[in-house]
Amino acid sequence: MSDDKPKMSKNARDIAENASENTLALNPLVSMRVEDMFGAGTNLARAMASQPQAMMNQWMSLANDMTKIMTQSSEIEPDRKDRRFADAGWSKNPFSKGVMQGYLSWADTVTKSVEELDLPDKDAARARLITSIFVDTMAPSNNFFVNPAAMKTFFETGGQSAVSGLKNLITDMTENDGLPSSVDTSKFKVGENLAVTPGNVVFRNEVIELIHYTATTDKVHPRPLLVVPPQINKYYSIDMAPGKSMIEFLLSQGIQPYCISWRNPTKEMRDWDMTTYIEALDEACDAALEITGSDSVNIMGSCSGGITLSTYAGWLAAQDKSEKINSVILAVCVLDTMASTDNDMAALVTPETVKAAKLASSSRGVLDGQDMAKMFAWMRPNDLIWNYWVNNYLLGNAPPAFDVLYWNADTTRLPAGLHGDFLDMIYTNPFLNPGEMVIGGHEIDMTKVNYDTYVIAGTTDHITPWKAVYETARLYGDDTQFILSNSGHLQSLLNPPGNPKAWFMKGPAKQADPEEWAEKADKHEGSWWLDWGEMLKKKSGKAVAAPKKPGSKKNPPLGPAPGTYVFEP
């Protein structure tokens, strides 16, 4: 195991941290088709033509701004959080300043013009989406000859930055499907500086490997914690580099974590559906119970893993087997598909796009992770495309070396069957509508599911917005403990103790209105992990001597962590 940690400049660190808030943990399962883009553009143009007065007011304001910019009397400034114009050259050079101010005024005019149009909700969402993509693409910071930092670097390096940038561009065109590389993959290797917590695979079937981690304390709590990660990414987001590994923390608390590592399916596995995954998960749960001798597990799922966990809980309830689970932990997971209609991805979802997405994965056998990554990148182009365009090509730098971004780029596939099931959930909303989903002949009815539940969301999560995650907590009952952590989708979870900026809010999900909950919830400084650890210890039984060896006679160790499935391309 290597202890070397990749060093990054402040600029690279900023890029990496911004991008890490936009991970693939839940990506668009549908794509924006050419006809959708064309239709949205046509509707937008038609609406603008039919509402000339609103357009005239905005563009008159732009004309006034341009007059002030040309006379150098404009006071337009970029948002302090807008990294595109952070370089001092944008404010010190009169030409660059004018270009920047002109762009900001134009972008504001275009955005406000679209916001003021009277459009149906779905058309309005699509109009905002395509407009934001267009506006971000036109930023002068993306232009080599206008970007002052790029020109300065070019002259300081005697043109070497341009040569390096061209090399980076050619590499990405040939090896990264034309997208700017988001991470220096040479700095990471799973099993060496990622996913390095000692453990053993103690169960394997065609769909999963089950990893039992080696205790680091003399005593452990006997009830295991079964972790169900998303199928959309590889499992090791919970076991990142030492120091911010959830597994490492759990072990320090005397918890026995058993983690599922999903297999990366190929087109030959096209028929794997939710039933396939639930039955495989049940086998893993049985293995963890057999090894520990416990009568039940605490079980945790994040994002789509939380959807799978909830389906499993409903499947057990339908068979009167709910006693297998003692308590439920859900993180950044939206179960009510109608509760998350305020994000960019909602603009992509129509009956036509869902049907097209199903046909595409059915014909190929899988939904490829790289295709999802490209689609997702265009949902957040400033953070996931243009940041790297400037860094890699205009400045000629290597992409940042950041573990979260490496994990994000280590994509997986979804089998057509499971992809289709996820898409069906959009309209059937099965967790709120009993009987809409049938798993192995058993109807899912969440009204029959009753567990002590702990739900975590992120304040700035735009992938699974916290208010939509709050509805997940409400679905599990008024007594569910809801935790609101002060960060985005993945960073709200990778929140080890010691972060001086960390805080969280906590309270039972009794209020129907999430804003009302926020007013009454208790605020705590520090990481929610400490609260989580104390909760788990109370629900995991009185501590006993740690196991001396992994597995059992029935489920012997099959090999060291991180297993074999995580390495399958």
Side-chain angles (χ1 to χ4, degrees):
M1 180 180 74
S2 172
D3 292 326
D4 295 334
K5 292 184 179 180
K7 300 295 191 297
M8 289 190 290
S9 67
K10 184 180 184 303
N11 181 62
R13 191 181 307 111
D14 289 344
I15 292 174
E17 289 177 352
N18 283 345
S20 68
E21 296 286 358
N22 301 278
T23 59
L24 277 171
L26 181 66
N27 27 105
L29 303 180
V30 297
S31 297
M32 177 69 89
R33 303 172 299 162
V34 173
E35 52 264 48
D36 296 326
M37 294 286 284
F38 181 77
T42 300
N43 290 340
L44 179 58
R46 187 181 297 119
M48 286 182 168
S50 66
Q51 301 172 51
Q53 187 59 49
M55 296 300 99
M56 182 63 70
N57 292 339
Q58 290 296 331
W59 291 98
M60 285 296 294
S61 177
L62 174 63
N64 291 334
D65 284 347
M66 289 302 173
T67 300
K68 292 179 181 178
I69 291 168
M70 286 187 289
T71 58
Q72 298 186 22
S73 59
S74 173
E75 297 181 357
I76 295 175
E77 293 182 354
D79 189 294
R80 287 185 296 176
K81 297 180 180 179
D82 191 342
R83 294 188 62 260
R84 297 174 298 175
F85 305 110
D87 186 87
W90 287 108
S91 57
K92 291 183 178 179
N93 182 292
F95 172 75
S96 298
K97 184 176 182 179
V99 169
M100 174 189 69
Q101 291 177 323
Y103 166 75
L104 292 173
S105 178
W106 170 80
D108 184 61
T109 299
V110 171
T111 301
K112 287 182 177 178
S113 296
V114 172
E115 288 176 350
E116 291 187 4
L117 292 175
D118 185 15
L119 288 168
D121 290 345
K122 185 66 71 173
D123 286 343
R126 290 192 170 211
R128 289 193 299 269
L129 178 59
I130 65 169
T131 300
S132 66
I133 292 172
F134 175 64
V135 166
D136 292 344
T137 300
M138 297 302 294
S141 52
N142 302 331
N143 188 315
F144 176 82
F145 297 101
V146 178
N147 188 315
M151 296 306 297
K152 179 183 177 183
T153 304
F154 175 81
F155 288 113
E156 288 179 345
T157 62
Q160 184 58 46
S161 63
V163 174
S164 298
L166 182 60
K167 288 181 180 178
N168 290 341
L169 175 61
I170 293 172
T171 298
D172 287 338
M173 292 297 291
T174 57
E175 300 178 9
N176 199 45
D177 293 329
L179 282 179
S181 295
S182 62
V183 62
D184 183 351
T185 58
S186 67
K187 298 295 192 294
F188 300 99
K189 190 170 183 180
V190 174
E192 292 189 8
N193 57 1
L194 293 172
V196 297
T197 304
N200 290 269
V201 174
V202 292
F203 174 80
R204 179 186 294 124
N205 60 26
E206 189 180 19
V207 182
I208 65 170
E209 289 182 328
L210 180 66
I211 300 170
H212 175 213
Y213 290 93
T214 305
T216 58
T217 54
D218 293 334
K219 290 189 174 184
V220 297
H221 296 273
R223 181 172 289 118
L225 173 66
L226 180 59
V227 181
V228 185
Q231 293 93 336
I232 291 173
N233 288 101
K234 293 186 178 177
Y235 85 92
Y236 60 89
S237 62
I238 63 164
D239 189 23
M240 285 290 191
K244 60 177 178 181
S245 164
M246 277 188 166
I247 296 298
E248 182 183 56
F249 171 78
L250 290 167
L251 291 170
S252 74
Q253 303 298 299
I255 304 299
Q256 295 191 77
Y258 284 73
C259 184
I260 284 171
S261 174
W262 302 109
R263 193 171 190 178
N264 194 8
T266 62
K267 62 182 180 181
E268 288 76 22
M269 302 160 187
R270 64 173 63 239
D271 294 328
W272 288 7
D273 56 9
M274 184 61 83
T275 297
T276 308
Y277 281 82
I278 293 302
E279 291 176 348
L281 171 59
D282 190 50
E283 289 186 48
C285 182
D286 286 344
L289 292 175
E290 189 277 329
I291 293 169
T292 60
S294 179
D295 59 356
S296 62
V297 298
N298 297 315
I299 189 167
M300 177 177 184
S302 60
C303 208
S304 62
I307 294 173
T308 306
L309 182 165
S310 297
T311 305
Y312 179 53
W315 182 76
L316 289 176
Q319 302 172 77
D320 295 323
K321 295 181 179 179
S322 294
E323 70 277 0
K324 275 192 178 184
I325 295 175
N326 178 61
S327 69
V328 167
I329 302 100
L330 294 168
V332 293
C333 174
V334 174
L335 296 181
D336 181 358
T337 57
M338 296 297 104
S340 186
T341 59
D342 59 346
N343 59 14
D344 292 344
M345 292 161 204
L348 302 178
V349 179
T350 65
E352 293 76 22
T353 56
V354 169
K355 182 179 179 180
K358 274 191 173 183
L359 288 173
S361 63
S362 178
S363 64
R364 298 172 188 167
V366 293
L367 177 65
D368 189 79
Q370 285 297 326
D371 292 340
M372 290 190 283
K374 285 190 286 186
M375 189 65 229
F376 189 78
W378 284 107
M379 298 296 97
R380 285 287 183 273
N382 275 340
D383 289 325
L384 300 180
I385 294 178
W386 301 119
N387 262 345
Y388 298 118
W389 174 276
V390 173
N391 180 76
N392 302 4
Y393 307 153
L394 274 58
L395 301 178
N397 296 326
F402 194 52
D403 49 12
V404 171
L405 298 183
Y406 179 89
W407 166 80
N408 193 48
D410 192 8
T411 58
T412 62
R413 296 173 290 273
L414 286 182
L418 182 63
H419 180 220
D421 286 342
F422 278 143
L423 289 173
D424 287 341
M425 290 181 187
I426 294 173
Y427 289 111
T428 61
N429 212 359
F431 298 109
L432 271 71
N433 297 303
E436 287 290 342
M437 181 164 53
V438 179
I439 301 296
H442 302 286
E443 293 186 353
I444 304 303
D445 181 355
M446 292 302 288
T447 63
K448 297 180 179 180
V449 175
N450 182 26
Y451 297 112
D452 288 342
T453 308
Y454 190 91
V455 176
I456 307 104
T459 55
T460 57
D461 185 349
H462 61 268
I463 302 171
T464 52
W466 78 265
K467 293 180 182 179
V469 179
Y470 182 78
E471 296 305 320
T472 295
R474 295 277 298 162
L475 181 63
Y476 269 86
D478 288 356
D479 293 331
T480 298
Q481 287 295 319
F482 186 64
I483 305 296
L484 185 57
S485 177
N486 69 318
S487 195
H489 188 74
L490 185 61
Q491 297 294 66
S492 62
L493 303 186
L494 297 184
N495 193 4
N499 179 2
K501 297 180 180 179
W503 56 265
F504 66 95
M505 301 174 71
K506 177 185 177 181
K510 292 185 180 296
Q511 293 78 22
D513 183 357
E515 292 286 359
E516 185 180 347
W517 173 89
E519 291 177 4
K520 296 183 179 180
D522 296 325
K523 184 175 180 179
H524 304 267
E525 299 299 324
S527 169
W528 63 270
W529 283 18
L530 296 173
D531 183 83
W532 175 47
E534 289 301 314
M535 179 275 294
L536 281 174
K537 284 188 273 189
K538 292 177 183 177
K539 296 184 181 301
S540 300
K542 186 177 180 180
V544 298
K548 295 181 179 179
K549 55 183 180 180
S552 65
K553 186 175 181 179
K554 184 178 180 179
N555 291 288
L558 305 175
T564 59
Y565 284 175
V566 74
F567 294 109
E568 291 188 352

